[in-house]
Each structure stands twice: as structure tokens, then as C-alpha cells.
Amino acid sequence: MHPLKRSSILVVNSVETALDEILKFYPSHYTRVIKNSEKSEFQILDAQNALKEAYIATNETKYIFLCGSTFRTEAQNSLLKVLEEPPLNIVFILLVESKSSILPTIHSRLLYKNLKTTHIENDLDLNIKHLDLKTLYNFIKENQRISKEDAIKLVSKILLKINEDKVSLGKKELDNFNKSISLLELNSRPINVLTHLLLSILEKDQK
């Protein structure tokens, strides 16, 4: 990640975790972090501190991080003008956990990046290491009426299970996962896609 050149909104899973990672890419001498030390919410006092920092002149680009899981409306309103027309060499970076916590009037003025990652909870009841035709048949039977959306999630869970169980797959088998998701997105029958995918894994294990 390179330092941003324009003021931006970054939506992340956790402000604290993301901040620790992102700051590694910014020059410490020209980076300021403004957040509430007692609450996760960005409040009016934090906005006032941001304004003071923004109007301290600098010959180098200064990055001002405004951090909060949520932002109070009055705090955002007080920043509208400076976000629209920041002082020379000032780049604001709003770090938030939800896009909806930012006013549309601010959102329309800044770049927006969604850096959230999705965690797939693995509750898959399928023994990949000891997969056989009977297990495969029963699994397919249980999921024969699965929707396209749930089938896509299931394919991801199967791959996650394979990684967790440290099952070795070749390029051909791994490519089948991408193909399976593509086929599902093209509205192929989920039952057919899942059957073909699991048979390819079973076939590989039996070689």
C-alpha cells in the first residue's frame, strides 16, 4: 500500500487493527492520528483537534487520520469545509467501520475504499480427508435443494476445510473451485456443480 495522495474514506473491519497496519506505509514525521482516547466514536472535540492540526502549515504532505468506529454528525458537519477544500499539503484519511456512519455530503467529496474482509465461519460437516462415495452421496442428498448463493458459500467452505485439514490439491483441483463458482454465478444447477467438484476431490484422493 502506498500513501494516499487524496483525502479518502477507508472502511475497515477494525479501526485499531487497520490503523496499526496502515501506518507502516506512512512517514511518521508527517502523520497525525486523531481519535477519541476514551470512546470509539469520533466526536466534536476530535473534529476541533483535526481542524487545528490541518491549519498548521507544512511544506511536506501531512497525513491526518481521523479514526472512529462511528462519527458523530456534528463532528462531521464541522469538518465539511476543510474536507472539501483542505489546506495546502494536507491529506485527510477517515478510518471507519461502516460506510453508513459517514454523511453523504462528506462521502461525495472524498475517495472511498472498502478494505473490509469477509470471514467465513467454517461449520462444514464433511470429512475431506476420508471422503468416500457414500459420504459424498449423503452430503449431496442433504444439499440437493441448496440455493445458488448458499452453494457459492459452500464451495468456499469446502476449500477452507481443505486448507484447515492440510489436504494437498494440485492446480487442476484448485482450478475446479474457481470454475465451480463461475458456473454457479452463471446459474448452473448447484447439485451438479457440487457433485462434480466433490468427485474431482475424491478421484484425486484415490490416485
Short mmCIF file of all heavy atoms in Angstrom, two decimals, residues 31-78:
data_model
loop_
_atom_site.label_atom_id
_atom_site.label_comp_id
_atom_site.label_asym_id
_atom_site.label_seq_id
_atom_site.Cartn_x
_atom_site.Cartn_y
_atom_site.Cartn_z
N THR A 31 2.72 12.37 9.83
CA THR A 31 1.44 11.67 10.02
C THR A 31 0.88 11.98 11.40
O THR A 31 1.60 11.92 12.40
CB THR A 31 1.63 10.14 9.88
OG1 THR A 31 2.13 9.85 8.57
CG2 THR A 31 0.31 9.42 10.07
N ARG A 32 -0.38 12.34 11.44
CA ARG A 32 -1.06 12.62 12.70
C ARG A 32 -2.29 11.72 12.81
O ARG A 32 -3.02 11.54 11.84
CB ARG A 32 -1.49 14.09 12.79
CG ARG A 32 -0.35 15.09 12.59
CD ARG A 32 0.62 15.09 13.77
NE ARG A 32 1.67 16.09 13.59
CZ ARG A 32 2.84 15.85 13.00
NH1 ARG A 32 3.10 14.64 12.52
NH2 ARG A 32 3.74 16.81 12.87
N VAL A 33 -2.51 11.20 13.99
CA VAL A 33 -3.69 10.35 14.24
C VAL A 33 -4.57 11.04 15.26
O VAL A 33 -4.12 11.36 16.37
CB VAL A 33 -3.27 8.95 14.75
CG1 VAL A 33 -4.52 8.12 15.09
CG2 VAL A 33 -2.42 8.23 13.71
N ILE A 34 -5.82 11.25 14.89
CA ILE A 34 -6.76 11.90 15.80
C ILE A 34 -7.93 10.96 16.06
O ILE A 34 -8.64 10.56 15.14
CB ILE A 34 -7.26 13.24 15.21
CG1 ILE A 34 -6.07 14.19 15.06
CG2 ILE A 34 -8.35 13.85 16.09
CD1 ILE A 34 -6.40 15.51 14.42
N LYS A 35 -8.07 10.57 17.32
CA LYS A 35 -9.15 9.68 17.72
C LYS A 35 -9.47 9.94 19.18
O LYS A 35 -8.67 10.52 19.92
CB LYS A 35 -8.78 8.22 17.49
CG LYS A 35 -7.54 7.77 18.26
CD LYS A 35 -7.22 6.31 17.98
CE LYS A 35 -5.98 5.89 18.76
NZ LYS A 35 -5.68 4.45 18.58
N ASN A 36 -10.62 9.49 19.60
CA ASN A 36 -11.03 9.65 20.99
C ASN A 36 -10.36 8.58 21.84
O ASN A 36 -10.48 7.39 21.55
CB ASN A 36 -12.56 9.54 21.09
CG ASN A 36 -13.08 10.05 22.42
OD1 ASN A 36 -12.67 9.58 23.47
ND2 ASN A 36 -13.98 11.02 22.37
N SER A 37 -9.64 9.00 22.86
CA SER A 37 -8.90 8.05 23.69
C SER A 37 -9.80 7.26 24.63
O SER A 37 -9.40 6.22 25.16
CB SER A 37 -7.83 8.78 24.51
OG SER A 37 -8.42 9.77 25.33
N GLU A 38 -11.02 7.75 24.84
CA GLU A 38 -11.92 7.10 25.79
C GLU A 38 -13.07 6.35 25.11
O GLU A 38 -13.59 5.38 25.64
CB GLU A 38 -12.49 8.13 26.76
CG GLU A 38 -11.42 8.80 27.63
CD GLU A 38 -12.01 9.83 28.56
OE1 GLU A 38 -13.23 10.08 28.47
OE2 GLU A 38 -11.25 10.39 29.38
N LYS A 39 -13.48 6.83 23.93
CA LYS A 39 -14.60 6.21 23.23
C LYS A 39 -14.20 5.88 21.81
O LYS A 39 -13.28 6.46 21.25
CB LYS A 39 -15.82 7.15 23.23
CG LYS A 39 -16.36 7.46 24.62
CD LYS A 39 -17.58 8.36 24.53
CE LYS A 39 -18.13 8.67 25.91
NZ LYS A 39 -19.33 9.53 25.85
N SER A 40 -14.91 4.93 21.21
CA SER A 40 -14.61 4.56 19.83
C SER A 40 -15.23 5.54 18.84
O SER A 40 -14.91 5.54 17.66
CB SER A 40 -15.13 3.15 19.54
OG SER A 40 -16.54 3.09 19.71
N GLU A 41 -16.11 6.42 19.34
CA GLU A 41 -16.81 7.37 18.48
C GLU A 41 -15.98 8.64 18.27
O GLU A 41 -15.38 9.16 19.21
CB GLU A 41 -18.16 7.73 19.10
CG GLU A 41 -19.02 8.62 18.24
CD GLU A 41 -20.37 8.89 18.90
OE1 GLU A 41 -20.38 9.39 20.03
OE2 GLU A 41 -21.39 8.60 18.26
N PHE A 42 -15.95 9.13 17.04
CA PHE A 42 -15.26 10.38 16.72
C PHE A 42 -16.22 11.53 17.04
O PHE A 42 -17.30 11.63 16.48
CB PHE A 42 -14.89 10.40 15.23
CG PHE A 42 -13.95 11.50 14.84
CD1 PHE A 42 -12.57 11.30 14.87
CD2 PHE A 42 -14.43 12.74 14.44
CE1 PHE A 42 -11.70 12.31 14.50
CE2 PHE A 42 -13.57 13.75 14.07
CZ PHE A 42 -12.20 13.54 14.10
N GLN A 43 -15.80 12.41 17.97
CA GLN A 43 -16.70 13.43 18.49
C GLN A 43 -16.27 14.84 18.09
O GLN A 43 -15.25 15.03 17.44
CB GLN A 43 -16.83 13.27 20.00
CG GLN A 43 -17.36 11.90 20.41
CD GLN A 43 -17.60 11.77 21.89
OE1 GLN A 43 -16.99 12.45 22.71
NE2 GLN A 43 -18.52 10.89 22.26
N ILE A 44 -17.05 15.82 18.51
CA ILE A 44 -16.82 17.21 18.11
C ILE A 44 -15.45 17.72 18.56
O ILE A 44 -14.78 18.46 17.83
CB ILE A 44 -17.96 18.13 18.64
CG1 ILE A 44 -17.83 19.55 18.07
CG2 ILE A 44 -18.01 18.12 20.15
CD1 ILE A 44 -18.07 19.65 16.60
N LEU A 45 -15.00 17.32 19.75
CA LEU A 45 -13.69 17.74 20.23
C LEU A 45 -12.58 17.19 19.34
O LEU A 45 -11.59 17.87 19.06
CB LEU A 45 -13.48 17.27 21.68
CG LEU A 45 -12.15 17.67 22.33
CD1 LEU A 45 -12.00 19.19 22.36
CD2 LEU A 45 -12.04 17.10 23.75
N ASP A 46 -12.78 15.97 18.86
CA ASP A 46 -11.80 15.36 17.94
C ASP A 46 -11.76 16.15 16.63
O ASP A 46 -10.70 16.37 16.05
CB ASP A 46 -12.17 13.90 17.67
CG ASP A 46 -12.30 13.10 18.95
OD1 ASP A 46 -11.39 13.19 19.80
OD2 ASP A 46 -13.31 12.39 19.11
N ALA A 47 -12.93 16.58 16.18
CA ALA A 47 -13.00 17.37 14.95
C ALA A 47 -12.28 18.70 15.12
O ALA A 47 -11.58 19.17 14.21
CB ALA A 47 -14.46 17.59 14.56
N GLN A 48 -12.44 19.31 16.28
CA GLN A 48 -11.75 20.58 16.56
C GLN A 48 -10.23 20.39 16.55
O GLN A 48 -9.49 21.24 16.03
CB GLN A 48 -12.23 21.14 17.90
CG GLN A 48 -13.68 21.61 17.88
CD GLN A 48 -14.22 21.92 19.27
OE1 GLN A 48 -13.55 21.70 20.28
NE2 GLN A 48 -15.45 22.42 19.32
N ASN A 49 -9.78 19.28 17.11
CA ASN A 49 -8.34 18.99 17.10
C ASN A 49 -7.84 18.76 15.67
O ASN A 49 -6.72 19.16 15.32
CB ASN A 49 -8.05 17.75 17.95
CG ASN A 49 -8.23 18.01 19.44
OD1 ASN A 49 -8.11 19.14 19.89
ND2 ASN A 49 -8.54 16.96 20.19
N ALA A 50 -8.68 18.15 14.86
CA ALA A 50 -8.32 17.92 13.46
C ALA A 50 -8.18 19.24 12.71
O ALA A 50 -7.26 19.42 11.90
CB ALA A 50 -9.37 17.04 12.79
N LEU A 51 -9.08 20.16 12.98
CA LEU A 51 -9.03 21.48 12.32
C LEU A 51 -7.76 22.23 12.71
O LEU A 51 -7.09 22.83 11.86
CB LEU A 51 -10.27 22.30 12.70
CG LEU A 51 -11.59 21.84 12.06
CD1 LEU A 51 -12.77 22.55 12.72
CD2 LEU A 51 -11.57 22.11 10.57
N LYS A 52 -7.41 22.19 13.98
CA LYS A 52 -6.19 22.86 14.44
C LYS A 52 -4.96 22.28 13.74
O LYS A 52 -4.08 23.01 13.29
CB LYS A 52 -6.04 22.70 15.96
CG LYS A 52 -7.06 23.48 16.78
CD LYS A 52 -6.88 23.20 18.27
CE LYS A 52 -7.97 23.88 19.09
NZ LYS A 52 -7.85 23.53 20.54
N GLU A 53 -4.92 20.97 13.65
CA GLU A 53 -3.78 20.30 13.03
C GLU A 53 -3.70 20.62 11.54
O GLU A 53 -2.62 20.80 10.97
CB GLU A 53 -3.88 18.79 13.25
CG GLU A 53 -2.68 18.00 12.79
CD GLU A 53 -1.40 18.37 13.53
OE1 GLU A 53 -1.41 18.35 14.78
OE2 GLU A 53 -0.40 18.69 12.85
N ALA A 54 -4.85 20.70 10.90
CA ALA A 54 -4.90 20.94 9.46
C ALA A 54 -4.35 22.31 9.09
O ALA A 54 -3.78 22.49 8.01
CB ALA A 54 -6.33 20.79 8.95
N TYR A 55 -4.51 23.27 9.98
CA TYR A 55 -4.10 24.64 9.66
C TYR A 55 -2.69 24.97 10.17
O TYR A 55 -2.28 26.12 10.15
CB TYR A 55 -5.13 25.64 10.18
CG TYR A 55 -6.39 25.61 9.35
CD1 TYR A 55 -7.57 25.08 9.86
CD2 TYR A 55 -6.38 26.08 8.04
CE1 TYR A 55 -8.73 25.03 9.08
CE2 TYR A 55 -7.53 26.03 7.25
CZ TYR A 55 -8.70 25.51 7.78
OH TYR A 55 -9.83 25.45 7.00
N ILE A 56 -1.97 23.95 10.62
CA ILE A 56 -0.55 24.13 10.92
C ILE A 56 0.20 23.91 9.60
O ILE A 56 0.21 22.81 9.05
CB ILE A 56 -0.06 23.13 11.99
CG1 ILE A 56 -0.80 23.36 13.31
CG2 ILE A 56 1.44 23.26 12.19
CD1 ILE A 56 -0.48 22.35 14.38
N ALA A 57 0.81 24.97 9.10
CA ALA A 57 1.42 24.93 7.77
C ALA A 57 2.54 23.90 7.68
O ALA A 57 3.25 23.64 8.66
CB ALA A 57 1.95 26.32 7.41
N THR A 58 2.68 23.31 6.50
CA THR A 58 3.73 22.32 6.26
C THR A 58 4.17 22.38 4.80
O THR A 58 3.35 22.62 3.90
CB THR A 58 3.24 20.90 6.60
OG1 THR A 58 4.23 19.95 6.21
CG2 THR A 58 1.94 20.57 5.88
N ASN A 59 5.47 22.18 4.58
CA ASN A 59 5.99 22.15 3.21
C ASN A 59 5.92 20.75 2.61
O ASN A 59 6.07 20.58 1.40
CB ASN A 59 7.44 22.65 3.19
CG ASN A 59 7.54 24.13 3.52
OD1 ASN A 59 6.68 24.91 3.13
ND2 ASN A 59 8.59 24.51 4.24
N GLU A 60 5.73 19.76 3.47
CA GLU A 60 5.61 18.37 3.02
C GLU A 60 4.15 17.93 3.17
O GLU A 60 3.39 18.53 3.92
CB GLU A 60 6.51 17.45 3.87
CG GLU A 60 7.98 17.79 3.80
CD GLU A 60 8.60 17.44 2.46
OE1 GLU A 60 8.04 16.58 1.75
OE2 GLU A 60 9.64 18.03 2.12
N THR A 61 3.79 16.88 2.46
CA THR A 61 2.43 16.35 2.61
C THR A 61 2.24 15.81 4.02
O THR A 61 3.05 15.01 4.50
CB THR A 61 2.17 15.22 1.59
OG1 THR A 61 2.34 15.73 0.27
CG2 THR A 61 0.75 14.68 1.74
N LYS A 62 1.19 16.28 4.66
CA LYS A 62 0.88 15.80 6.02
C LYS A 62 -0.41 14.99 5.97
O LYS A 62 -1.41 15.42 5.41
CB LYS A 62 0.74 16.98 6.99
CG LYS A 62 0.43 16.54 8.42
CD LYS A 62 0.68 17.63 9.44
CE LYS A 62 -0.18 18.85 9.25
NZ LYS A 62 0.00 19.85 10.33
N TYR A 63 -0.35 13.81 6.56
CA TYR A 63 -1.50 12.90 6.55
C TYR A 63 -2.18 12.94 7.92
O TYR A 63 -1.56 12.66 8.94
CB TYR A 63 -1.05 11.48 6.23
CG TYR A 63 -0.28 11.37 4.94
CD1 TYR A 63 1.11 11.46 4.92
CD2 TYR A 63 -0.94 11.22 3.72
CE1 TYR A 63 1.83 11.37 3.73
CE2 TYR A 63 -0.24 11.14 2.53
CZ TYR A 63 1.14 11.22 2.54
OH TYR A 63 1.84 11.15 1.36
N ILE A 64 -3.45 13.29 7.91
CA ILE A 64 -4.21 13.36 9.16
C ILE A 64 -5.26 12.26 9.17
O ILE A 64 -6.22 12.29 8.39
CB ILE A 64 -4.88 14.74 9.32
CG1 ILE A 64 -3.81 15.85 9.28
CG2 ILE A 64 -5.65 14.81 10.64
CD1 ILE A 64 -4.39 17.26 9.38
N PHE A 65 -5.06 11.28 10.04
CA PHE A 65 -6.00 10.18 10.17
C PHE A 65 -7.09 10.55 11.17
O PHE A 65 -6.79 10.91 12.32
CB PHE A 65 -5.28 8.91 10.64
CG PHE A 65 -4.51 8.22 9.56
CD1 PHE A 65 -3.24 8.66 9.20
CD2 PHE A 65 -5.04 7.12 8.90
CE1 PHE A 65 -2.52 8.01 8.20
CE2 PHE A 65 -4.33 6.46 7.90
CZ PHE A 65 -3.07 6.92 7.55
N LEU A 66 -8.33 10.46 10.74
CA LEU A 66 -9.48 10.70 11.62
C LEU A 66 -10.13 9.34 11.86
O LEU A 66 -10.65 8.73 10.92
CB LEU A 66 -10.46 11.67 10.96
CG LEU A 66 -9.87 12.97 10.40
CD1 LEU A 66 -10.96 13.84 9.80
CD2 LEU A 66 -9.11 13.72 11.48
N CYS A 67 -10.09 8.87 13.09
CA CYS A 67 -10.45 7.47 13.36
C CYS A 67 -11.62 7.34 14.33
O CYS A 67 -11.67 8.01 15.37
CB CYS A 67 -9.25 6.74 13.96
SG CYS A 67 -7.75 6.88 12.98
N GLY A 68 -12.54 6.46 13.97
CA GLY A 68 -13.66 6.17 14.86
C GLY A 68 -14.53 5.08 14.26
O GLY A 68 -14.72 5.03 13.05
N SER A 69 -15.02 4.19 15.10
CA SER A 69 -15.93 3.16 14.59
C SER A 69 -17.19 3.83 14.04
O SER A 69 -17.79 3.36 13.08
CB SER A 69 -16.28 2.15 15.68
OG SER A 69 -16.84 2.80 16.80
N THR A 70 -17.57 4.96 14.67
CA THR A 70 -18.65 5.81 14.17
C THR A 70 -18.22 7.27 14.32
O THR A 70 -17.32 7.58 15.10
CB THR A 70 -19.97 5.58 14.93
OG1 THR A 70 -19.74 5.83 16.33
CG2 THR A 70 -20.47 4.16 14.75
N PHE A 71 -18.88 8.16 13.59
CA PHE A 71 -18.59 9.59 13.64
C PHE A 71 -19.87 10.35 13.99
O PHE A 71 -20.89 10.17 13.33
CB PHE A 71 -18.08 10.08 12.27
CG PHE A 71 -16.62 9.84 12.02
CD1 PHE A 71 -16.09 8.55 12.08
CD2 PHE A 71 -15.77 10.89 11.71
CE1 PHE A 71 -14.75 8.31 11.83
CE2 PHE A 71 -14.42 10.67 11.47
CZ PHE A 71 -13.91 9.38 11.53
N ARG A 72 -19.80 11.19 15.01
CA ARG A 72 -20.97 12.00 15.36
C ARG A 72 -21.28 12.98 14.23
O ARG A 72 -20.38 13.51 13.58
CB ARG A 72 -20.74 12.76 16.66
CG ARG A 72 -20.74 11.88 17.90
CD ARG A 72 -20.75 12.71 19.17
NE ARG A 72 -22.03 13.37 19.36
CZ ARG A 72 -23.06 12.82 20.02
NH1 ARG A 72 -22.95 11.60 20.52
NH2 ARG A 72 -24.18 13.48 20.17
N THR A 73 -22.56 13.21 14.00
CA THR A 73 -22.99 14.07 12.90
C THR A 73 -22.43 15.48 13.03
O THR A 73 -21.94 16.07 12.05
CB THR A 73 -24.53 14.13 12.84
OG1 THR A 73 -25.04 12.81 12.63
CG2 THR A 73 -25.00 15.03 11.71
N GLU A 74 -22.47 16.05 14.24
CA GLU A 74 -21.98 17.42 14.41
C GLU A 74 -20.48 17.51 14.17
O GLU A 74 -19.97 18.54 13.69
CB GLU A 74 -22.34 17.97 15.81
CG GLU A 74 -21.84 17.14 16.98
CD GLU A 74 -22.87 16.14 17.48
OE1 GLU A 74 -23.65 15.63 16.65
OE2 GLU A 74 -22.88 15.89 18.70
N ALA A 75 -19.76 16.44 14.47
CA ALA A 75 -18.32 16.42 14.22
C ALA A 75 -18.06 16.45 12.71
O ALA A 75 -17.17 17.16 12.23
CB ALA A 75 -17.69 15.18 14.84
N GLN A 76 -18.85 15.70 11.98
CA GLN A 76 -18.69 15.67 10.52
C GLN A 76 -19.06 17.01 9.90
O GLN A 76 -18.37 17.51 8.99
CB GLN A 76 -19.57 14.56 9.93
CG GLN A 76 -19.14 13.16 10.35
CD GLN A 76 -19.97 12.09 9.67
OE1 GLN A 76 -19.91 11.92 8.46
NE2 GLN A 76 -20.74 11.35 10.45
N ASN A 77 -20.14 17.60 10.38
CA ASN A 77 -20.57 18.89 9.83
C ASN A 77 -19.51 19.96 10.03
O ASN A 77 -19.31 20.82 9.17
CB ASN A 77 -21.88 19.33 10.49
CG ASN A 77 -23.08 18.57 9.93
OD1 ASN A 77 -23.08 18.16 8.78
ND2 ASN A 77 -24.10 18.38 10.75
N SER A 78 -18.80 19.90 11.16
CA SER A 78 -17.76 20.91 11.42
C SER A 78 -16.54 20.73 10.52
O SER A 78 -15.72 21.64 10.38
CB SER A 78 -17.34 20.85 12.89
OG SER A 78 -16.63 19.66 13.17
#
